[in-house]
Amino acid sequence: MLSKKQTLQIIEAMGNLFPYATCELIHKNAFELLIAVMLSAQTTDVSVNKITPSLFEKYPTPEAFVAAPVEDIMEQLKTIGLYRNKAKFIKGCCQMLLSEFGGQVPRSRKELESLPGVGRKTANVVLSVAFNEPAIAVDTHVERVTKRLGICPPNATVREVEEILMKQLPKEIWGIAHHRLIFFGRYQCTARNHDHDVCLQLLKENRPIKAK
């Protein structure tokens, strides 16, 4: 496995390749981000971004989601995967936001993970993006890329990948490292068959890549 120095060098190279790597889910506040990340499970950010503008126009607050029949919420989500379960989780999440947190998105991982439909990855994204707290969210891109590059062993669990990255990287760059790994996996080192040597060469050359 790579050393701390080698891991940091790779993350820095990814920063040169994708200097504007950031969260691609469209949102205006922590609440919208929370819902968008919940919707993104097993669904592309592009698909989520297609429905959230109209979704948040119709349901701009937790109160609005709670007041709506779950069938109406499902109707708004039907173009994305697992929309029935996601509608139920969102409604339950909003009910708990109102009953336990005064309608505000909590700022701790433990409280975030207490919300229906919110796991560690979602909590980490919200903490990092909405509240600028050090956190690394491990999605399929992060897991695949770190294993392919030798940062993490092939048999590492998602939690182990997160813990390895936290040990290998300075705390102050956890959030940006997460986005760089996602962009590298999403736009260069994809899950589709490709010449991985090209990916390694790009990391060595640090030439900026235009996201597709």
Side-chain angles (χ1 to χ4, degrees), residues 50-78:
K50 287 179 180 178
I51 67 168
T52 47
S54 60
L55 180 71
F56 294 139
E57 183 178 359
K58 189 167 186 178
Y59 309 118
T61 62
E63 291 87 348
F65 275 109
V66 169
V70 70
E71 293 79 11
D72 288 0
I73 301 174
M74 288 181 187
E75 183 66 22
Q76 296 291 312
L77 310 182
K78 64 182 181 181

Side-chain angles (χ1 to χ4, degrees), residues 23 41 49 90:
C23 179
N49 287 338
I90 287 172

Side-chain angles (χ1 to χ4, degrees), residues 39-111:
L39 291 174
S40 70
Q42 298 184 44
T43 305
T44 65
D45 287 2
V46 172
S47 297
V48 173
N49 287 338
K50 287 179 180 178
I51 67 168
T52 47
S54 60
L55 180 71
F56 294 139
E57 183 178 359
K58 189 167 186 178
Y59 309 118
T61 62
E63 291 87 348
F65 275 109
V66 169
V70 70
E71 293 79 11
D72 288 0
I73 301 174
M74 288 181 187
E75 183 66 22
Q76 296 291 312
L77 310 182
K78 64 182 181 181
T79 61
I80 64 173
L82 307 174
Y83 71 92
R84 291 183 179 88
N85 284 338
K86 289 176 181 178
K88 294 173 184 176
F89 279 136
I90 287 172
K91 190 174 174 74
C93 174
C94 289
Q95 287 172 334
M96 192 166 178
L97 286 176
L98 293 172
S99 64
E100 301 294 328
F101 302 108
Q104 300 298 309
V105 177
R107 300 176 70 107
S108 77
R109 181 181 289 107
K110 182 178 180 180
E111 290 175 328

Side-chain angles (χ1 to χ4, degrees), residues 153-172:
N155 61 345
T157 65
V158 170
R159 183 64 178 269
E160 287 170 343
V161 169
E162 179 185 340
E163 291 172 350
I164 289 169
L165 287 171
M166 289 167 68
K167 290 177 182 177
Q168 294 288 81
L169 297 170
K171 196 172 185 177
E172 59 269 19

